[in-house]
Amino acid sequence: MPQLDDRTEPHSELADGVSAQVPTTDEVQIKTPENIGGMGHRKKRKEDPRFLQGKGNYVDDVKLPGMLYMDIVRSPYAHAKINKIDASAALEMDGVLAVITGEDLKAAGDLHWMPTLMSDTQMVLPIDKVVYYAQEVCAVIATSRYIAADAIEQVFVDYEPLDAVVDPFEAMKDKVIVRDDKDKKTNHIWHWEAGDKAATDAVFNDATTVVKEKFYIPRIHVSSIETCGMVANYNKVREHMQIYMTSQAPHAHRTVFALVSGIPEHKIQIISPDIGGGFGGKVPVYPGYVICAVASLVTGKPVKWIEDRSENLQADSFARDYHIEAEMAADKEGRITGLRVKTLSDCGAADAAANPSKFPAGLYSICTGSYDMKAAHVEVDGVYTTKPPGGVAYRCSFRVTEAVHMVERMTDIMAHDLGVDPADYRLKNFIRPDQFPYKSPTGWEYDSGNYEAALNKAMDMIDYRGLRKEQAEKRAKGELMGIGISSFTEVVGAGPSKDYDILGIKMFDSAEIRIHPTGKAMARFGTKSQGQGHETTYAQIIAEELGLPADDIEVEEGDTDTAPYGLGTYASRSTPTAPRPTASGPTRAVLPQLRARPPQWPRGRSGPRRRRSPRTC
Amino acid sequence: MSEHEVTLTVNGESVTRSVEARMLLVHFIREDLSLTGTHIGCDTTSCGACTVLVNGKPVKSCTVFAVQAEGAEVETIESVAAGGVLHPLQEGFWEKHGLQCGYCTPGMIMTAKEFLVRNPNPTEDEIRRGISGNLCRCTGYNKIVEAIQYAAEKLQADAGGE
Amino acid sequence: MPVIPGAFDYHSPRSLDEALSLLQQHAGEAKILAGGQSLLRYVEERGDHLAIGAMTREHALEDSSVVRNSYSLLHDTALVIADPLVRNQATVGGNIAHADPANDHPATMLAYDATLVTKGPKGERTIAIDDFFTGLFENAMSDDEILTEIRIPKPAANSGGAYTKFERKVGDYAISAAAVQLRLDGDTVAAARIGLTNVSAVPMRAQGAEAELVGKSLSDAVIEAAGKAAAAECDPSPDLRGGVDYKRDITRVMVKRSIQQAVARAKGGK
Ligand SMILES: Cc1cc2nc3c(=O)[nH]c(=O)nc-3n(C[C@H](O)[C@H](O)[C@H](O)COP(=O)(O)OP(=O)(O)OC[C@H]3O[C@@H](n4cnc5c(N)ncnc54)[C@H](O)[C@@H]3O)c2cc1C
Ligand code: FES
Ligand code: FES
């Protein structure tokens, strides 16, 4: 179990040299002239002209010569034994080239299972049984989308339904075992805790007020408007796999593919073209991707797989699904003293969370939030159910939404119990500016902050006291009006390798900048925009750092053959991590030389139009 | 299964192709004509990413068979920037940050284009109703509404100036 | 892949008779695909009724001035069916012929006491809307018949109607919706018909609620009683849109709101 205590080293390599004093908006100065267009300049996005004219290039837009299409047969049961898969009728259809089953993947080198990022395993295609509704059962490869869709109707699977278990509390009773492939016949996957149990119990013993609440933060789907998909293109002669895929983390996916398939990593190229929204849902490696790659290996042809919306909602990774029981303690002055949390994490049929941290419950232990308290103790248990596997960070860092929702709700309940205004109660309990750097009771180090100033500013902006008056007047008339307050302390920018890791790679990002002789630049990154506008933001940051005009900098991401290694885009990490190397000394050193001696046409010639023969230039 | 010859006009050019009866117009546009600016986001006629104009009216091209478009005039996002000059809507989306990933954008623009022909001076509420058949997962709509307002003003000003 | 339709053959008839003979040729196998052509596409007042060609697209109802001015219940309905893009393609006849209790037109046509005109090998016949919906997705037409026209009686003086729909989001089917068409005689309700959407397996009239209104002098209590009667007589199923009690209560509120609006319009002459 990872240890959260003993955090003496600096929290972040990246934090080195970053001033603890965060300037407020009014203090930010634009440092570059208009023609450079560095940070703070209003710029229209560089990527937009292509999107506005229908010239984006998304995975389903990729068309390769001789391309085949894949469609997937999915389980109509949440839990069932597979007796037989009869694909003979499908195989007889014109245009159907292959039907790939779990047995085929097994024969191809035990590819029917794959590792997850959480050191668990997940089925690519089943051999014995299915463990969630819409699970991939086998795949049809055909010469067109339409034929593939027809052919999956002609695959007959003999299922023997088993009891499903969709409630994690029920699953904890181990009456139905989801993963009988495991040695231990239990649905319990892991137990994890953070903070100091004894100290927390002591604080609760001494408390004047204790409030309790249960929450269920339901399973949700991120539902990016583009679904997931892939075009895999294996070249037998070069023994090279080229893959276009909807990937928020192309390099990490390349590594995963190398580990799963045995194709050497330098023989795999992943291209993540324009992505139609990710929201965390394009971080996991789904079975469909692996089957599609195998299909190309087997047929030696490019194979396209584009899941449709129903498949995307039914089988892809989810976010949340946390069952939380929380208690908060306060002393006789009403000051928060402690937090005690027990949580059941419904992982579905595998722990396949797209979790970049070293902790099974991600950054959930950030749950003491913005409040100063003496002690806290958080326990989380992961459990299997017969539901699609996953766990993604939907629009936040991993498990932060759950943590924030819980602590903010508990703070509201406590304020309500004590009869105190919830804003005043927050102001009273915030970590004070003079406490930074602050070490939280669950072990996180907060480098800087001024929460009181931030909340006061927000309250002034909405005239909070005025709104409370209005509310009181309305309530007196029988009208209802609600005011909600929430404060938010998140760990972003995954991040420092002390706390973050994927597959032992550690978390980092790289940038490569090429400055051409004419002073124009090409910058490549290991992150991958899904709409965040990196092409513009990064160009502005580089402009700021190097003094080159932002318009003269082409930013490129997503092709593992050309971009330097990086861990991708999620968890609010890209802008804080990726462009930082652009400020490096060596890059800066090149520029003065270029400026001093820009390339020129030889004297006596006025430009390329007068050129007589190629040799003269 | 039956093959049918269809002839229709797409972005001003007449095209004739032999298609299966069940071929969806969106696949015809994307695959047969390689006009990939029209997108697919769902299988329930819900998202509007596939919106094109058929005889001037915006429809969800995932719910029209190509054979049903026989003889029709179809316009897709690729035709909107006439002569390479951005349409005021495209300008508006760019200027007002009406897009992030850009996947819904072609459909939004096609819907808004016809909407502004019918209602050149819309209220915010009318715009919101006008685009209620198009989903965007990224922007949260406010910026899209502003983009359409920008275009309405620009188009009005251009019309007034003539 | 649900997005990909199964294979079928396609014929594009140029006349109603050609369509009918195709239906006969492929008896039981053929389905009409609405919205492909310009046959049967009109909205106009003819004598004592409004005639709507079965292939009329929904947006034509939105745009029609006669509908806007004299058929408020229908205009209300047209504005809340699906979303503006779907309304550019979907047809009035397809909406009714589908006999889906979640569709909005069935309730509206029940409230209007509409008549449906069909044509088949044996010629033309009319079907009263009360006799049209025979089951979930089932109607009184035979396989070789085509719905050609919908006739809505021209509302008498002092009539008003309204459609109120409660939906999770624009473009969704109703959690519950109520169509009300009534006629006043001073403050007394001389006639009333109420149709309900998506709270029964077969599109239904709320006859109990109608009975609470007809012959009564209007008051808040009478309107409330009608709402309650509708809540009691509907038969919703629990689903993603809510449980049974919730749907009944929404029905009560929708019926009340539609009555109030219909009364206001009757008084204002719409
Ligand atoms: C996203 C979405 C949301 C929707 N929301 C709503 C809503 O909120 N409210 C609502 O009321 N509707 C809603 N609908 C339904 C829509 O309004 C149409 O009624 C429906 O899609 C039928 O379309 P169509 O007219 O093209 O008929 P089709 O799909 O072509 O036909 C429907 C059925 O009727 C038969 N049929 C069609 N015309 C005739 C005819 N003339 N004679 C005999 N049989 C015929 C067909 O064979 C078929 O069985 C929604 C649809 C979508 C896609
Ligand atoms: S793809 Fe056509 S509406 Fe979603
Ligand atoms: S910009 Fe991404 S869905 Fe609209």
Side-chain angles (χ1 to χ4, degrees):
Chain A
M1 191 207 306
Q3 293 298 309
L4 265 180
D5 25 38
D6 193 28
R7 289 163 187 273
T8 45
E9 42 179 315
H11 194 251
S12 155
E13 292 98 345
L14 300 168
D16 289 352
V18 174
S19 145
Q21 222 48 50
V22 181
T24 62
T25 333
D26 346 343
E27 291 163 34
V28 172
Q29 302 241 323
I30 296 182
K31 294 188 194 133
T32 53
E34 185 78 36
N35 68 324
I36 299 297
M39 284 153 69
H41 282 286
R42 188 181 189 282
K43 273 203 136 346
K44 288 197 280 189
R45 297 202 318 172
K46 290 160 83 85
E47 43 273 86
D48 286 356
R50 69 174 184 273
F51 296 137
L52 291 166
Q53 298 178 76
K55 299 291 183 194
N57 185 37
Y58 302 89
V59 171
D60 198 13
D61 302 342
V62 173
K63 216 183 201 177
L64 300 178
M67 191 166 75
L68 304 173
Y69 296 81
M70 179 175 106
D71 209 338
I72 295 178
V73 176
R74 291 176 183 272
S75 165
Y77 297 100
H79 198 192
K81 206 166 151 264
I82 296 177
N83 288 330
K84 190 169 178 242
I85 298 175
D86 178 3
S88 52
L91 283 166
E92 273 168 25
M93 292 172 63
D94 273 352
V96 174
L97 278 87
V99 174
I100 299 178
T101 64
E103 295 285 1
D104 299 327
L105 294 186
K106 188 178 179 191
D110 285 341
L111 291 178
H112 57 311
W113 284 93
M114 64 177 174
T116 72
L117 295 180
M118 301 304 294
S119 311
D120 196 358
T121 51
Q122 177 183 355
M123 277 183 238
V124 178
L125 285 174
I127 287 183
D128 315 309
K129 71 166 189 173
V130 286
V131 284
Y132 55 93
Y133 176 83
Q135 185 180 334
E136 299 77 359
V137 173
C138 63
V140 172
I141 316 300
T143 50
S144 87
R145 254 181 233 264
Y146 282 59
I147 296 173
D150 289 345
I152 62 170
E153 303 294 330
Q154 297 303 318
V155 175
F156 301 98
V157 185
D158 179 14
Y159 297 99
E160 193 176 314
L162 301 169
D163 287 339
V165 55
V166 293
D167 173 25
F169 293 96
E170 206 42 50
M172 284 292 275
K173 296 180 190 160
D174 285 340
K175 285 186 197 148
V176 171
I177 299 296
V178 181
R179 295 290 298 269
D180 33 29
D181 57 292
K182 302 253 170 190
D183 290 340
K184 276 204 204 149
K185 301 297 171 218
T186 172
N187 294 321
H188 185 228
I189 318 171
W190 44 259
H191 173 84
W192 176 76
E193 22 189 293
D196 186 332
K197 183 166 181 0
T200 306
D201 289 346
V203 160
F204 273 82
N205 280 336
D206 296 344
T208 311
T209 314
V210 172
V211 292
K212 289 185 188 182
E213 186 66 295
K214 280 187 184 175
F215 312 89
Y216 174 44
I217 306 189
R219 187 174 264 241
I220 58 125
H221 199 284
V222 304
S223 213
S224 55
I225 210 105
E226 176 201 37
T227 60
C228 294
M230 174 184 273
V231 178
N233 180 23
Y234 187 68
N235 183 320
K236 279 192 172 156
V237 176
R238 288 176 59 211
E239 296 179 331
H240 179 271
M241 179 67 90
Q242 181 192 47
I243 283 172
Y244 293 84
M245 74 185 272
T246 43
S247 170
Q248 293 181 228
H251 287 94
H253 284 161
R254 186 183 67 190
T255 306
V256 172
F257 270 97
L259 295 175
V260 173
S261 69
I263 302 173
E265 195 167 358
H266 68 295
K267 290 285 191 183
I268 303 175
Q269 175 191 21
I270 294 194
I271 302 169
S272 186
D274 289 324
I275 300 293
F279 313 117
K282 290 168 181 168
V283 180
V285 173
Y286 297 115
Y289 293 136
V290 178
I291 311 166
C292 183
V294 172
S296 180
L297 258 172
V298 171
T299 58
K301 298 222 166 136
V303 178
K304 181 185 270 190
W305 168 63
I306 305 291
E307 69 182 0
D308 63 30
R309 175 61 56 197
S310 304
E311 298 177 289
N312 175 267
L313 292 173
Q314 286 164 354
D316 285 4
S317 200
F318 63 91
R320 301 170 193 168
D321 217 346
Y322 257 31
H323 296 258
I324 304 172
E325 245 187 280
E327 293 171 280
M328 185 179 262
D331 63 16
K332 62 180 187 303
E333 276 85 45
R335 201 170 286 282
I336 299 171
T337 51
L339 187 68
R340 198 156 56 187
V341 188
K342 282 197 166 75
T343 296
L344 198 54
S345 167
D346 183 343
C347 296
D351 186 7
N355 172 3
S357 81
K358 289 183 173 172
F359 320 113
L363 311 169
Y364 189 56
S365 60
I366 197 74
C367 64
T368 55
S370 321
Y371 308 105
D372 179 26
M373 59 186 81
K374 286 186 191 145
H377 187 243
V378 191
E379 290 174 76
V380 189
D381 288 278
V383 59
Y384 291 128
T385 55
T386 51
K387 292 196 274 191
V392 301
Y394 170 55
R395 285 182 162 152
C396 66
S397 294
F398 194 68
R399 298 302 185 195
V400 170
T401 311
E402 294 87 333
V404 172
H405 177 82
M406 182 268 292
V407 71
E408 290 302 305
R409 190 71 199 105
M410 293 311 290
T411 307
D412 270 346
I413 293 169
M414 182 62 93
H416 185 263
D417 260 41
L418 297 172
V420 186
D421 178 276
D424 292 337
Y425 193 64
R426 284 178 168 80
L427 290 171
K428 173 175 173 168
N429 283 286
F430 277 151
I431 301 163
R432 294 184 318 275
D434 61 292
Q435 288 177 286
F436 292 99
Y438 173 86
K439 187 145 166 192
S440 87
T442 52
W444 293 98
E445 193 162 298
Y446 296 15
D447 58 353
S448 64
N450 189 341
Y451 304 153
E452 192 183 320
L455 183 57
N456 276 323
K457 186 163 185 175
M459 285 163 65
D460 287 347
M461 285 167 80
I462 60 162
D463 183 19
Y464 179 74
R465 307 286 168 201
L467 284 177
R468 283 287 178 209
K469 240 181 89 198
E470 185 186 332
Q471 182 187 42
E473 286 162 12
K474 286 201 166 143
R475 285 192 174 167
K477 286 189 282 180
E479 257 179 68
L480 298 180
M481 171 175 163
I483 302 172
I485 300 171
S486 177
S487 87
F488 199 133
T489 296
E490 183 183 7
V491 203
V492 298
S497 19
K498 184 166 69 67
D499 303 318
Y500 295 90
D501 181 41
I502 285 183
L503 303 166
I505 305 166
K506 307 252 167 93
M507 298 298 280
F508 63 92
D509 248 279
S510 340
E512 179 199 280
I513 303 182
R514 296 181 186 181
I515 297 166
H516 306 313
T518 55
K520 316 284 174 192
M522 163 65 89
R524 292 189 167 112
F525 295 85
T527 50
K528 176 62 212 171
S529 174
Q530 312 119 41
Q532 291 88 340
H534 291 172
E535 287 167 48
T536 312
T537 312
Y538 290 180
Q540 285 193 272
I541 294 173
I542 297 168
E544 178 95 3
E545 292 295 339
L546 303 186
L548 288 175
D551 291 343
D552 290 352
I553 303 161
E554 191 75 10
V555 169
E556 202 186 88
E557 301 173 294
D559 183 339
T560 56
D561 269 14
T562 54
Y565 204 102
L567 272 299
T569 292
Y570 40 82
S572 316
R573 70 185 296 275
S574 296
T575 302
T577 50
R580 192 177 147 80
T582 64
S584 73
T587 333
R588 282 190 176 155
V590 181
L591 276 167
Q593 296 173 28
L594 261 176
R595 288 216 179 86
R597 294 195 52 201
Q600 276 174 345
W601 291 102
R603 264 175 236 286
R605 296 183 196 280
S606 57
R609 283 180 186 284
R610 297 259 173 104
R611 193 172 58 188
R612 291 278 144 80
S613 83
R615 252 169 285 137
T616 55
C617 54
Chain B
M1 192 165 82
S2 67
E3 286 278 328
H4 295 261
E5 196 176 273
V6 285
T7 301
L8 58 159
T9 307
V10 179
N11 299 336
E13 275 178 44
S14 174
V15 293
T16 302
R17 292 281 193 289
S18 177
V19 297
E20 241 189 283
R22 61 168 164 166
M23 161 79 82
L24 297 171
L25 181 60
V26 69
H27 285 142
F28 180 75
I29 291 169
R30 288 179 49 81
E31 315 271 325
D32 284 45
L33 306 183
S34 294
L35 295 169
T36 53
T38 303
H39 298 145
I40 300 175
C42 72
D43 42 49
T44 48
T45 322
S46 305
C47 75
C50 61
T51 305
V52 300
L53 302 188
V54 174
N55 296 326
K57 282 275 174 201
V59 297
K60 295 177 172 177
S61 62
C62 67
T63 311
V64 180
F65 296 111
V67 288
Q68 288 178 289
E70 168 69 33
E73 295 260 356
V74 173
E75 287 166 68
T76 70
I77 184 68
E78 284 87 350
S79 71
V80 174
V85 181
L86 291 189
H87 183 276
L89 271 164
Q90 292 168 314
E91 257 180 56
F93 273 75
W94 199 8
E95 184 65 38
K96 295 292 177 188
H97 207 112
L99 67 156
Q100 288 182 24
C101 76
Y103 200 79
C104 70
T105 313
M108 285 282 179
I109 289 178
M110 296 319 284
T111 299
K113 189 167 180 252
E114 188 263 355
F115 171 78
L116 289 180
V117 172
R118 267 189 300 123
N119 190 348
N121 193 11
T123 62
E124 185 193 325
D125 185 60
E126 286 165 347
I127 296 175
R128 287 185 186 273
R129 284 175 196 282
I131 58 168
S132 59
N134 295 78
L135 300 180
C136 174
R137 266 307 265 162
C138 302
T139 64
Y141 303 107
N142 283 352
K143 295 283 164 190
I144 294 175
V145 172
E146 283 174 30
I148 297 171
Q149 279 166 336
Y150 173 100
E153 281 160 29
K154 179 95 198 274
L155 285 163
Q156 292 269 61
D158 289 356
E162 272 163 22
Chain C
M1 269 214 161
V3 72
I4 301 203
F8 58 85
D9 202 352
Y10 175 80
H11 299 275
S12 177
R14 303 205 183 270
S15 69
L16 195 54
D17 288 336
E18 194 186 335
L20 284 169
S21 78
L22 280 166
L23 276 182
Q24 258 189 306
Q25 261 175 50
H26 302 276
E29 300 261 281
K31 270 266 168 200
I32 293 165
L33 186 61
Q37 46 250 295
S38 44
L39 291 173
L40 302 175
R41 215 174 262 176
Y42 50 83
V43 191
E44 57 200 30
E45 268 186 328
R46 290 181 189 161
D48 62 351
H49 64 267
L50 180 77
I52 305 170
M55 298 287 179
T56 303
R57 298 203 199 277
E58 300 291 351
H59 77 80
L61 299 182
E62 280 174 74
D63 298 347
S64 153
S65 56
V66 58
V67 172
R68 195 176 326 116
N69 294 328
S70 313
Y71 297 85
S72 302
L73 164 57
L74 183 60
H75 194 248
D76 283 358
T77 311
L79 289 176
V80 295
I81 287 182
D83 63 53
L85 304 178
V86 171
R87 293 201 292 271
N88 286 337
Q89 187 72 13
T91 67
V92 184
N95 192 294
I96 297 170
H98 200 38
D100 181 348
N103 278 358
D104 295 294
H105 277 310
T108 292
M109 296 306 164
L110 284 166
Y112 269 131
D113 198 8
T115 301
L116 305 181
V117 184
T118 67
K119 202 162 179 196
K122 290 183 210 131
E124 195 174 278
R125 63 168 177 145
T126 57
I127 307 175
I129 193 75
D130 281 340
D131 302 329
F132 187 72
F133 302 110
T134 51
L136 180 64
F137 303 126
E138 281 173 19
N139 63 41
M141 288 189 296
S142 58
D143 280 350
D144 52 8
E145 272 183 307
I146 291 179
L147 174 62
T148 57
E149 189 175 290
I150 300 105
R151 292 181 185 160
I152 297 177
K154 212 164 154 178
N158 304 317
S159 293
Y163 191 69
T164 318
K165 174 176 178 178
F166 200 66
E167 52 191 356
R168 295 180 301 179
K169 57 170 276 293
V170 176
D172 194 17
Y173 293 94
I175 294 169
S176 174
V180 171
Q181 181 69 20
L182 49 72
R183 184 164 55 80
L184 296 183
D185 183 0
D187 255 346
T188 306
V189 181
R193 287 175 66 102
I194 300 177
L196 301 179
T197 301
N198 218 6
V199 285
S200 53
V202 184
M204 71 173 279
R205 255 175 84 191
Q207 283 171 304
E210 292 169 6
E212 291 290 342
L213 287 179
V214 178
K216 302 264 173 68
S217 174
L218 279 167
S219 68
D220 287 350
V222 165
I223 296 175
E224 177 67 29
K228 283 197 169 133
E233 67 193 306
C234 69
D235 184 17
S237 343
D239 61 15
L240 284 174
R241 294 185 178 83
V244 170
D245 291 345
Y246 171 71
K247 289 184 176 184
R248 283 191 199 280
D249 205 45
I250 295 291
T251 304
R252 177 183 65 84
V253 177
M254 292 300 105
V255 167
K256 276 174 63 177
R257 288 186 188 166
S258 284
I259 295 172
Q260 282 156 351
Q261 177 74 296
V263 167
R265 282 171 173 166
K267 290 183 172 164
K270 278 199 172 180

